[in-house]
Amino acid sequence: MERGFATKCLYGNGEKFEGDRTGALSFPIYQTATYAHPAVGESTGYDYSRLQNPTREKLEQVVASLENGLDALAFSSGMAAITAMMELFKPGDHIITDADLYGGSIRLFDHISEKNGITFSHIDCVAEDAEIFVKENTRAIYIETPTNPMMNVIDIAKLAEITRRRGLLLIVDNTFLSPYFQKPLDLGADIVVHSGTKFLGGHNDTLAGFLTTGSPDIAEKLRFIIKTVGSGLAPIDSWLILRGIKTLPIRMEKAQENAKAIATFLLDAENVRRVYYPGIPGSKGYEICKKQADGFGSMITFEVADRELASQVLKSVKLIHFAESLGGVETLITYPVTQTHADVPETVRIKNGITDCILRLSVGIEDKEDLIRDLRQALVR
Ligand SMILES: *Cc1c(COP(=O)(O)O)cnc(C)c1O
């Protein structure tokens, strides 16, 4: 019988660590650049840490098991993972993306991938039919769901039906829900992207990124890319993410419980105009999120009455940190317009709904009463 998710967070699909004679429970940090060979033509299976390192490999096995994938590759950041993934494409290729994406992904696509000859159509994957935008040179559809920061929920299986029929890759950035709540490969995605810096690491202390796939062909291509470009995750950072993942299920549950309470508070709060959280019954993404995921996560975006109030909230939170990033145990509040999405052209930002009244919360695992009290005092005019 397949083992449960929480067990996989500790062991992946592998055995308990019994690799040395001490009985150590914690997988070692193999802090080595190179490996000695027994003889010419013989290898221990490890040659050089850019290619493979036991600590990174252990982490990759755990992440692959969580996403029900065949292989996962660990990179030095989420952006390093996405940048390496773009090496699957060549000049002349066309990619369809949802318009609402992490700002760094938009910057990569528009300023680096475009320069390398790849073109993009940034569309609204909720309102528009992606198939209309498929051209002869289209190779992939790239989405996040829920999207960063506007929390739009995109139907993964519906897009997978198109990509499969048209021979395209479906690439899903699963950072916001983590594999605990959502497994895009099971829904038909070909590649899953993660900023491991966020929920997988979970402690706001380590950068990491992942690409996971169920296809042996894609896995082989990505293995060639990671060993060539050299952006694999360092051994000590691999160990930190391994440790973070051990508590992923309980962190996700607690953060979601807090987020539901905060969303309820914000819905009734004075001077809060809108709350974007797919866990609100009747909200735009609720039904699809319920269908394709096992939870709604702990990211909440909300709109306050005016820019002055947004600045005031950011200045007056006492417990919550005004900081970029998300998915850690500490609750963070982010101002997308000057932080995560500062490099996105204003016209695009406004079209996506990212105004200077928009704030994004990554809810952590503190006591929810303390978080609500902090937000309540910060919102008082
Ligand atoms: C943070 C983030 C990234 C980039 O990851 P880094 O680890 O910061 O490089 C990519 N996608 C999403 C959805 C993110 O939130």
Side-chain angles (χ1 to χ4, degrees):
M1 204 180 96
E2 223 222 307
R3 52 172 67 149
F5 189 90
T7 307
K8 289 201 257 185
C9 285
L10 302 184
Y11 306 111
N13 286 323
E15 296 300 314
K16 287 186 287 190
F17 173 60
E18 287 166 355
D20 76 2
R21 62 192 163 74
T22 67
L25 289 194
S26 168
F27 195 86
I29 302 169
Y30 283 85
Q31 190 63 47
T32 185
T34 191
Y35 306 82
H37 299 301
V40 175
E42 291 179 30
S43 167
T44 59
Y46 299 93
D47 304 303
Y48 190 59
S49 278
R50 173 155 35 76
L51 282 63
Q52 69 284 90
N53 172 280
T55 317
R56 192 173 88 207
E57 212 168 69
K58 175 75 183 171
L59 170 63
E60 290 173 339
Q61 285 164 4
V62 169
V63 172
S65 79
L66 299 184
E67 288 285 3
N68 294 334
L70 182 74
D71 198 9
L73 296 91
F75 294 86
S76 57
S77 69
M79 289 317 301
I82 303 169
T83 302
M85 182 208 75
M86 288 308 292
E87 295 297 336
L88 293 172
F89 304 102
K90 59 180 190 320
D93 286 351
H94 170 252
I95 298 174
I96 297 167
T97 81
D98 188 74
D100 194 38
L101 292 178
Y102 172 67
S105 303
I106 298 177
R107 185 170 58 217
L108 171 72
F109 296 155
D110 288 357
H111 294 281
I112 296 188
S113 307
E114 286 256 8
K115 176 200 69 167
N116 293 337
I118 295 160
T119 55
F120 294 86
S121 297
H122 303 298
I123 70 165
D124 180 343
C125 286
V126 177
E128 295 174 296
D129 176 8
E131 190 159 15
I132 293 170
F133 298 86
V134 176
K135 305 193 272 190
E136 203 174 312
N137 58 342
T138 304
R139 298 286 172 257
I141 299 181
Y142 183 100
I143 61 160
E144 298 169 2
T145 180
T147 62
N148 183 355
M150 296 313 294
M151 304 302 294
N152 301 319
V153 178
I154 300 170
D155 192 328
I156 299 173
K158 208 166 121 194
L159 282 184
E161 191 277 314
I162 299 170
T163 52
R164 202 162 281 160
R165 189 157 38 75
R166 304 294 298 254
L168 316 176
L169 294 178
L170 178 59
I171 304 158
V172 179
D173 182 334
N174 198 30
T175 298
F176 266 34
L177 286 182
S178 92
Y180 180 68
F181 284 134
Q182 179 169 269
K183 296 176 190 65
L185 296 179
D186 290 353
L187 298 163
D190 300 287
I191 300 173
V192 170
V193 173
H194 273 284
S195 169
T197 313
K198 315 293 170 56
F199 290 100
L200 293 173
H203 292 73
N204 288 322
D205 58 11
T206 315
L207 295 180
F210 295 94
L211 298 175
T212 307
T213 182
S215 145
D217 177 50
I218 296 170
E220 191 186 327
K221 288 179 179 151
L222 293 175
R223 286 275 155 212
F224 179 82
I225 293 167
I226 197 174
K227 82 172 180 188
T228 306
V229 304
S231 48
L233 191 62
I236 185 161
D237 290 350
S238 298
W239 185 87
L240 282 162
I241 304 293
L242 267 174
R243 188 169 72 162
I245 288 174
K246 290 182 184 186
T247 55
L248 179 67
I250 53 177
R251 283 188 287 106
M252 295 305 291
E253 286 293 344
K254 173 68 173 155
Q256 173 173 257
E257 178 195 320
N258 286 353
K260 283 181 174 165
I262 290 173
T264 305
F265 160 75
L266 288 172
L267 278 171
D268 281 336
E270 220 180 308
N271 298 320
V272 172
R273 281 227 193 98
R274 291 194 66 170
V275 181
Y276 302 87
Y277 180 63
I280 300 169
S283 70
K284 218 169 60 171
Y286 178 78
E287 289 300 333
I288 298 169
C289 200
K290 215 172 129 189
K291 182 187 75 168
Q292 69 185 8
D294 298 322
F296 305 101
S298 50
M299 298 300 299
I300 302 171
T301 294
F302 63 104
E303 185 188 83
V304 293
D306 50 51
R307 187 175 60 164
E308 288 66 37
L309 186 58
S311 302
Q312 176 194 307
V313 169
L314 295 168
K315 209 163 70 187
S316 29
V317 280
K318 294 190 166 75
L319 184 66
I320 298 169
H321 302 269
F322 169 28
E324 284 186 55
S325 201
L326 61 105
V329 291
E330 296 93 357
T331 298
L332 307 184
I333 191 162
T334 304
Y335 197 35
V337 84
T338 65
Q339 292 183 304
T340 50
H341 291 70
D343 282 353
V344 177
E346 196 181 343
T347 49
V348 177
R349 228 167 39 215
I350 300 295
K351 189 160 167 255
N352 290 354
I354 309 170
T355 67
D356 52 13
C357 300
I358 289 284
L359 296 167
R360 191 192 75 186
L361 271 176
S362 167
V363 180
I365 64 167
E366 303 91 335
D367 289 298
K368 53 180 174 283
E369 296 77 12
D370 293 329
L371 295 171
I372 290 172
R373 194 179 316 123
D374 196 24
L375 283 170
R376 183 178 290 127
Q377 65 83 23
L379 280 162
V380 171
R381 290 263 197 196

